[in-house]
Amino acid sequence: MDHATLPVTVHWARTVPVGALADVLTLGERDRAAAVQNEESRDAVASSLVLARTAVGSWAGLDAGAVELHRHCPRCGSRAHGRPSASWRTVPDDVRRTPTPHLSLARTTGLVVVATTRAGAVGIDVERRADRVFGGFDDVVLAGTEARPVDDEARLRTWTRKEALLKAAGRGLDVDPRTLVLGPGDEPPRIEEAPADALGGPWHLQDLDPVEEVLGALALRAHGPVSVRVTRVQLAGRR
Ligand SMILES: CC(C)(COP(=O)(O)OP(=O)(O)OC[C@H]1O[C@@H](n2cnc3c(N)ncnc32)[C@H](O)[C@@H]1OP(=O)(O)O)[C@@H](O)C(=O)NCCC(=O)NCCS
């Protein structure tokens, strides 16, 4: 790898039942998962939390138990939702002195992904390729100047690109996605216009499909060539 490249790691995993993660989840994480009504979503939430701690821990050669996750909402200040971050729990002194990486996570049916990097703020999003978008998508998501997508796959592309950027900016849908103008979803990603106050760059934006049936995008606030390593994690039984 060229020394000048900015490394990003994307970990992905098939979701596993929350019960299979019982001895890995913290008490707080168990409570959080238990509060989710839908079983599939509950498994995805639990899986994403373990994957996120696993992904951060791997930067120091440590397991998920070495990592604590946090959230912070830039809009209301809540620590119960919003942009994720991580800190070290009980780790050797040399690790404690090293920064935890920036991280971003996303869930879709049956699959979770986590992007980590020390290069800058990062955002990731994934959707199932076969999914259909909600009615009125173009009116809610697209700027007036953006071309109408050729099909729903192109819409999902645009959606994941916008979500990845908005997550990397720490704002999510607190920012109206119509203020962000991208090139067509069936072409390579291109940022044509981004609101400077909410989305100050520079930005690297690329598509990232962890598996054939899932499409996604990755955004990194940084300038320079980016190298992305994609790695699969088997979740059940991890500590
Ligand atoms: C970011 C967002 C688009 C993701 O929603 P989604 O498509 O349902 O879910 P995904 O699986 O793609 O991603 C979920 C993750 O997004 C991340 N996320 C949430 N808010 C975020 C933010 N402001 N910045 C960056 N990432 C954020 C979290 O890590 C979240 O995981 P968690 O639920 O375990 O905390 C949505 O949560 C959002 O817009 N949130 C902000 C809305 C807001 O600001 N509301 C004001 C509240 S006061």
Side-chain angles (χ1 to χ4, degrees), residues 3 12 39 65-66 73 83 91 121 139 144 154 168 203 239:
H3 288 300
W12 68 271
E39 188 180 339
C73 175
R83 176 183 223 144
V91 294
D139 294 337
W203 290 109
R239 285 179 180 279

Side-chain angles (χ1 to χ4, degrees), residues 20-144:
L21 299 169
D23 57 351
V24 198
L25 293 167
T26 64
L27 276 178
E29 288 171 346
R30 267 185 249 177
D31 287 349
R32 177 142 192 275
V36 179
Q37 298 292 317
N38 174 280
E39 188 180 339
E40 212 169 55
S41 303
R42 188 160 58 239
D43 292 345
V45 165
S47 296
S48 67
L49 294 171
V50 173
L51 183 68
R53 287 196 285 113
T54 301
V56 172
S58 71
W59 282 78
L62 297 170
D63 63 22
V67 177
E68 190 164 359
L69 297 177
H70 312 276
R71 292 183 188 78
H72 180 244
C73 175
R75 170 178 271 250
C76 71
S78 167
R79 302 267 166 197
H81 62 265
R83 176 183 223 144
S85 64
S87 62
W88 302 122
R89 211 185 277 250
T90 310
V91 294
D93 281 350
D94 58 327
V95 174
R96 184 168 300 286
R97 283 191 290 270
T98 65
T100 51
H102 299 272
L103 80 144
S104 179
L105 66 89
R107 302 179 275 264
T108 189
T109 311
L111 191 129
V112 290
V113 287
V114 176
T116 52
T117 181
R118 286 194 170 121
V122 68
I124 194 162
D125 191 49
V126 284
E127 300 289 341
R128 296 198 78 81
R129 197 182 292 273
D131 282 353
R132 301 279 65 89
V133 303
F134 54 85
F137 176 96
D138 292 1
D139 294 337
V140 174
V141 176
L142 302 180

